[in-house]
Amino acid sequence: MKGEMMPNDDIMLEVRNISKAFPGTQALEQVSLAVRKGEVHAILGENGAGKSTLMLILAGVHQEDSGEILLEGNPVEIHDPHHAQTLGISMVHQDLSLAPSLSVAENMFANRQPLTRLGMVDFPKLYRQTREALAQFEIDIDPRQPVRELSVALQQVVEIATALSRKAKVLILDEPTSALTAHETAILFKIIRRLRDQGVTILYITHKLSEVMEIADRFTVLRDGRVVGTLETKEATEDDIVHMMVGRELSQYFPDLGEVTDECLFEVRNLTGRTFRNVSFKLYKGEVLGIAGLAGAGRTDMARAIFGADPLLSGEVYLNGQRVEIRSPADAVKLGLGYVPEDRKEAGLFLSLTVRENTVAAGLKLFSNAIFMDHRKMLLAVTDIVRSLDIKTPSLEQQVMNLSGGNQQKVMLAKWLVVNPKVLIVDEPTRGVDVGVKADVHQLLRDLATRGVGVIMISSELPEVLGMSDRILVMREGEIVGEISHADATEENVMSYAAGVQV
Amino acid sequence: MDPANTKAILAEPSGAAQATAKERRDFIHWLGRILRVREAFLVVILLVMIVVMSIVEPGFRSSANIRAVLLGFAMEGIAVIGMTMLLVSGGFDLSVGSTMALSGMVTAALLLKGTSIPLAIVAGLTTGALVGLLNAWIIAKIGVNALIATLGTMTIVRGIALTGWQGQPVINLPDAFRGIGQGVLLGILPLPAFILIVLTIVFDILMRRGRWFRQLYFVGGSEKAARLSGINVTHVRMITFIAAGLLAGVAGIVSTSRLGAAYPNSYEPVALRVISGAVIGGCSLFGGEGSVIGSVLGLLFIALILDILVLLGVSPYAQGIVQGVALILAVVVDIWSKRQAARA
């Protein structure tokens, strides 16, 4: 008995029998977990499995209903996020929490800026500290730059640097690579390994199994609020992990490719915008056209400009061989284009509106006569699409902010499916969704293509681009630098085009 | 007695008791759900206020008092409809009182010059719509924040109304024109109140079911997402501001007709009272939420409170305090009930 109470020198953080209920759901039930000093420990599970709840308890955002937390062998109660930080536990949230108009330096040292003798912020010292804190990331960021001018990837780095500058002993990363390109991910992993070697304990929430295999020493799988098991990564295969996560065998394969016709559905010629130049490509009926590239290569800007959301400086767009002018998203929708943006919460969804309202947002005309909405028609269509996409929601009148990320993603797709688009542009269609939803989305995109819809898929996930695309365009620095057929595509040749290096 | 029969008789009371207990629970549950709907909650509170006041203060149910409350409320009620459209779409308008004054002045001045009544009214309405267009242009086209833009137009429009007539009121309007504001239907219902009821019903139905009007909720819910869904956000915002200006014009003209005169410095407190009423009635200043009936009920709540204070002999100087407390309480209750709902 005594032995059990002895602090174990190896263990940095331990949770014992933690339970947490939210009205209506038992988020965590008797969860126990021990994390060693200086290890990268991945926390895995489908959306709703309880990983975020567990991490938010450790970060002080939620409090456990029962159970205990031991930090270096000592029982602790974590009252709030600030308390967690003083204990040495810092979390980098998936939704970045930076003040966009403030500088990098002020964001990093918010509330603990160095002061002059007069009590004013000592800016020269602040910038020096920021530069030092950022130095190990080998990324050139000006501490005076407002955060909103940085790419999402660089903002992520700022967040991690902020956590480390608080002398974190335990660093919780919530899907840190979901907005990063392969190159940036590689840099992040280098940083994570260095931190681990310095003795920092890292809890790493992710959906990407390849990352687990690459970076984690051990992993713990949660399912339905319980621990399924903790394993050493080198003793497990990806199939094992998937099996633990979903409790069933899940095909890791992408849907079969369909038949691409030689009928050109959509074409752009010499498109030039602020961040991209001379983009020309054709999209054939029945095709999934993948667009790969590093963050900042101009893919999203190009898609937004095609859709009329950003201005085009020059270039021509053809739909079914007819020249079309698209000056606004409203024009694009009228012509039969759809666009699913990468930014779900800001640009993709009306968070405070219901599943039903979100689903009909692009098709108000379809569900109304000249003046009034046709409620019956709307309900029939929405019920239908919610069922066929298997969107998990308690009712059609549920606010979408209360759905899981995967189901939100499906609602965004449903919005376009109900209007039967001719061309659908999807931007990072499976970012931050679990393996089950991912497979559903892939199947859905392929079904659309089979039905004759032209699908343009922007993705930073190489396996997705390779597995889904009939053809792949690679963009770099605003230009299309390569076109690869499905048969010829490999991770290596896509990356070599994207990064501009010879293999 | 047949033993089986006895059993049945014995069993019956407890069964009935269970049923009533369950019914009572269902009723409480149902009541709770209804009361979470802002409009129903306000109706209950307003009924309680009316019943209690009718008993304790006979002056409250005198037809003179009812007429006075209804008249004052009707003018602002017409304006709150436009404000509701704006707030739902994420907009805002401080210039509504100034617009009412200028529309009234234009109509009144034309009438005195001998312009026909319909033409003078159309001119007044056009004035309101033009102010709306000015707001729309500055806010939706150029992109100035609605609070700042209408803070500006509020004083600009007021300034035009004052300088245009050297600060003088326009009085002695023709009797035929006064008939609009001073008319009475069925012996009790003032015509302005009737106009308000009709407009409220029409706009409430449009906001709930009308295709064009549903766009307001999307634009207010997320401007970015609305744009990417193919909604012409600029267009929607422009028309909403013009409609709100037009409704302010209606309110100003009806009010001028009732008073039989137009005063360039009138309706100063209307904007804040109308916004308060709309927020009490369930509109969110962040957009995406609200209904016309809710806003009108919220405004009626303020009108009744102020009337009650007068009847109870509370100093008019203290009215602002009560109005402010009511506004903040309404928002606090809203925050609490949303937290409750999030937990449930």
Side-chain angles (χ1 to χ4, degrees):
Chain A
M1 278 340 261
K2 237 180 177 175
E4 210 180 289
M5 298 302 290
M6 288 277 287
N8 185 336
D9 284 349
D10 251 12
I11 302 297
M12 181 72 205
L13 178 70
E14 188 176 357
V15 301
R16 287 185 187 159
N17 302 323
I18 287 222
S19 293
K20 172 77 181 174
F22 296 108
T25 48
Q26 185 70 34
L28 294 174
E29 204 166 351
Q30 301 284 330
V31 167
S32 296
L33 171 69
V35 188
R36 294 174 191 151
K37 258 175 207 161
E39 77 165 335
V40 178
H41 194 116
I43 306 290
L44 303 167
E46 290 195 280
N47 284 334
K51 2 180 244 302
S52 295
T53 308
L54 180 61
M55 293 304 116
L56 290 172
I57 287 175
L58 294 176
V61 178
H62 293 316
Q63 276 67 44
E64 67 277 12
D65 295 337
S66 61
E68 45 174 352
I69 302 171
L70 291 89
L71 191 64
E72 294 177 289
N74 305 312
V76 288
E77 276 188 35
I78 305 172
H79 307 297
D80 56 51
H82 183 249
H83 186 215
Q85 286 165 11
T86 52
L87 290 170
I89 303 174
S90 264
M91 178 161 179
V92 175
H93 296 269
Q94 191 186 357
D95 304 318
L96 301 171
S97 46
L98 298 166
S101 58
L102 294 183
S103 69
V104 170
E106 284 166 292
N107 269 291
M108 282 188 63
F109 291 92
N111 246 333
R112 50 196 181 103
Q113 305 95 326
L115 299 178
T116 63
R117 237 172 284 161
L118 293 172
M120 301 289 136
V121 176
D122 184 348
F123 278 99
K125 193 172 174 196
L126 174 66
Y127 294 141
R128 207 165 51 240
Q129 283 185 353
T130 308
R131 237 172 255 121
E132 282 161 16
L134 287 168
Q136 63 170 317
F137 293 90
E138 296 168 24
I139 289 169
D140 191 26
I141 304 176
D142 181 355
R144 282 164 301 189
Q145 204 173 2
V147 157
R148 68 162 161 258
E149 291 173 10
L150 301 179
S151 68
V152 178
L154 288 182
Q155 292 185 21
Q156 187 94 43
V157 171
V158 170
E159 286 248 33
I160 293 172
T162 306
L164 291 175
S165 70
R166 293 195 197 105
K167 309 269 179 282
K169 288 183 276 191
V170 178
L171 183 61
I172 302 171
L173 302 175
D174 188 0
E175 295 193 43
T177 62
S178 61
L180 303 193
T181 60
H183 177 66
E184 290 160 333
T185 303
I187 294 175
L188 177 69
F189 283 3
K190 218 163 99 187
I191 293 167
I192 290 177
R193 287 197 192 95
R194 193 184 306 149
L195 293 173
R196 176 187 63 190
D197 296 342
Q198 289 166 9
V200 178
T201 300
I202 291 154
L203 283 163
Y204 191 102
I205 301 183
T206 185
H207 283 116
K208 296 179 191 167
L209 303 185
S210 57
E211 291 185 351
V212 178
M213 304 312 282
E214 192 179 340
I215 193 77
D217 301 306
R218 293 195 303 159
F219 65 86
T220 295
V221 175
L222 294 176
R223 188 169 74 228
D224 300 329
R226 295 162 193 269
V227 172
V228 179
T230 299
L231 286 179
E232 300 275 337
T233 309
K234 49 181 180 287
E235 289 166 5
T237 66
E238 289 196 21
D239 284 342
D240 295 338
I241 303 177
V242 171
H243 189 70
M244 285 170 79
M245 279 168 66
V246 298
R248 63 191 150 99
E249 298 292 342
L250 194 75
S251 151
Q252 281 264 50
Y253 301 104
F254 290 92
D256 292 336
L257 297 190
E259 295 263 313
V260 180
T261 64
D262 53 5
E263 185 186 339
C264 179
L265 180 66
F266 182 77
E267 184 183 356
V268 299
R269 288 187 201 158
N270 303 315
L271 289 189
T272 298
R274 275 173 322 192
T275 55
F276 55 93
R277 286 173 310 282
N278 282 322
V279 170
S280 299
F281 64 81
K282 289 181 174 181
L283 173 69
Y284 296 94
K285 208 168 178 182
E287 182 178 42
V288 175
L289 177 63
I291 300 191
L294 304 178
R299 296 170 300 167
T300 294
D301 291 337
M302 178 201 68
R304 285 177 54 88
I306 290 176
F307 194 64
D310 287 334
L312 271 179
L313 298 178
S314 66
E316 294 157 17
V317 179
Y318 295 84
L319 184 64
N320 290 324
Q322 297 274 315
R323 172 94 191 261
V324 290
E325 288 284 341
I326 300 174
R327 290 206 178 79
S328 69
D331 290 347
V333 173
K334 262 182 222 143
L335 290 167
L337 268 64
Y339 173 56
V340 179
E342 60 180 326
D343 180 352
R344 253 198 311 265
K345 293 194 168 139
E346 276 270 310
L349 293 167
F350 306 90
L351 288 175
S352 61
L353 301 185
T354 66
V355 171
R356 175 180 57 77
E357 287 171 309
N358 272 276
T359 307
V360 300
L364 292 177
K365 269 197 185 137
L366 288 176
F367 304 108
S368 63
N369 57 29
I371 298 172
F372 293 110
M373 299 300 298
D374 182 338
H375 260 248
R376 185 179 305 171
K377 201 167 168 189
M378 182 158 62
L379 282 181
L380 280 176
V382 176
T383 310
D384 213 41
I385 198 86
V386 163
R387 192 174 303 143
S388 73
L389 296 193
D390 193 22
I391 297 174
K392 298 205 171 59
T393 173
S395 90
L396 301 184
E397 302 306 320
Q398 178 74 2
Q399 290 183 317
V400 291
M401 68 171 86
N402 298 325
L403 300 190
S404 70
N407 285 305
Q408 289 181 342
Q409 190 73 26
K410 286 182 176 181
V411 170
M412 286 208 298
L413 287 163
K415 173 170 90 178
W416 293 109
L417 295 191
V418 296
V419 299
N420 289 319
K422 298 190 184 87
V423 175
L424 185 64
I425 307 171
V426 290
D427 199 346
E428 306 290 355
T430 61
R431 172 174 291 172
V433 306
D434 64 52
V435 284
V437 171
K438 205 167 193 167
D440 290 350
V441 169
H442 289 150
Q443 188 60 53
L444 182 73
L445 294 176
R446 179 48 67 189
D447 290 347
L448 282 174
T450 308
R451 272 163 37 198
V453 177
V455 177
I456 298 174
M457 183 188 76
I458 298 173
S459 174
S460 297
E461 278 187 51
L462 282 178
E464 180 170 84
V465 172
L466 294 170
M468 283 295 299
S469 312
D470 297 295
R471 199 155 51 99
I472 299 167
L473 300 176
V474 188
M475 285 185 77
R476 185 178 75 237
E477 290 168 14
E479 288 178 278
I480 292 184
V481 291
E483 177 178 337
I484 314 171
S485 71
H486 179 83
D488 298 337
T490 63
E491 298 211 4
E492 288 73 23
N493 61 18
V494 172
M495 273 318 293
S496 66
Y497 277 122
V501 292
Q502 297 296 316
V503 182
Chain B
M1 211 187 244
D2 184 359
N5 217 347
T6 324
K7 222 184 241 167
I9 290 164
L10 285 174
E12 205 182 292
S14 77
Q18 256 173 21
T20 40
K22 189 181 176 303
E23 269 165 29
R24 200 175 303 136
R25 268 203 314 278
D26 284 353
F27 176 74
I28 290 168
H29 182 71
W30 174 83
L31 195 69
R33 270 195 19 212
I34 291 289
L35 288 184
R36 227 169 278 149
V37 177
R38 179 65 66 96
E39 291 88 339
F41 183 68
L42 275 169
V43 166
V44 171
I45 289 213
L46 288 170
L47 284 177
V48 169
M49 282 166 68
I50 290 169
V51 169
V52 170
M53 281 307 292
S54 302
I55 295 168
V56 301
E57 180 59 56
F60 181 77
R61 48 171 200 254
S62 72
S63 62
N65 185 55
I66 293 174
R67 283 258 296 279
V69 171
L70 282 180
L71 274 173
F73 158 67
M75 315 305 163
E76 293 176 358
I78 296 168
V80 89
I81 295 173
M83 190 65 77
T84 305
M85 291 173 61
L86 285 174
L87 289 172
V88 167
S89 69
F92 195 80
D93 183 12
L94 285 173
S95 70
V96 55
S98 305
T99 310
M100 283 172 70
L102 184 61
S103 298
M105 291 299 285
V106 167
T107 300
L110 286 175
L111 284 171
L112 273 200
K113 282 196 178 141
T115 311
S116 73
I117 290 177
L119 209 59
I121 289 179
V122 168
L125 293 178
T126 309
T127 306
L130 284 175
V131 176
L133 180 65
L134 178 66
N135 283 331
W137 186 68
I138 299 172
I139 294 160
K141 276 274 187 207
I142 303 181
V144 178
N145 171 285
L147 178 76
I148 300 303
T150 60
L151 191 61
T153 55
M154 174 177 83
T155 56
I156 293 170
V157 173
R158 177 71 64 191
I160 294 172
L162 284 164
T163 49
W165 289 268
Q166 284 86 44
Q168 296 304 309
V170 181
I171 52 174
N172 291 327
L173 297 179
D175 285 344
F177 176 69
R178 292 167 173 237
I180 302 171
Q182 296 174 0
V184 170
L185 282 183
L186 306 170
I188 175 77
L189 192 65
L191 201 52
F194 176 74
I195 295 174
L196 171 64
I197 290 169
V198 171
L199 287 176
T200 301
I201 292 171
V202 168
F203 277 92
D204 190 79
I205 292 173
L206 285 173
M207 292 277 285
R208 280 174 208 276
R209 299 248 182 258
R211 185 225 291 169
W212 190 87
F213 289 81
R214 290 309 294 175
Q215 295 185 117
L216 301 176
Y217 290 85
F218 291 102
V219 172
S222 166
E223 182 167 340
K224 266 191 197 170
R227 200 160 114 78
L228 290 178
S229 301
I231 290 171
N232 194 333
V233 173
T234 310
H235 187 80
V236 170
R237 279 201 190 293
M238 296 273 294
I239 292 189
T240 310
F241 271 103
I242 295 170
L246 199 60
L247 284 161
V250 173
I253 292 166
V254 172
S255 179
T256 300
S257 154
R258 176 178 75 99
L259 298 169
Y263 301 90
N265 55 356
S266 52
Y267 316 120
E268 288 264 19
V270 169
L272 292 182
R273 199 142 66 213
V274 161
I275 291 167
S276 305
V279 169
I280 289 175
C283 284
S284 161
L285 282 183
F286 300 107
E289 286 173 47
S291 77
V292 171
I293 286 190
S295 296
V296 170
L297 291 172
L299 191 67
L300 181 59
F301 175 75
I302 292 179
L304 274 188
I305 290 236
L306 295 183
D307 181 56
I308 289 169
L309 292 179
V310 171
L311 288 173
L312 294 181
V314 175
S315 154
Y317 301 122
Q319 291 180 3
I321 300 174
V322 178
Q323 188 185 325
V325 169
L327 173 67
I328 292 171
L329 266 184
V331 176
V332 170
V333 168
D334 191 44
I335 293 171
W336 279 343
S337 68
K338 275 191 184 137
R339 270 189 211 146
Q340 288 289 328
R343 263 181 230 149

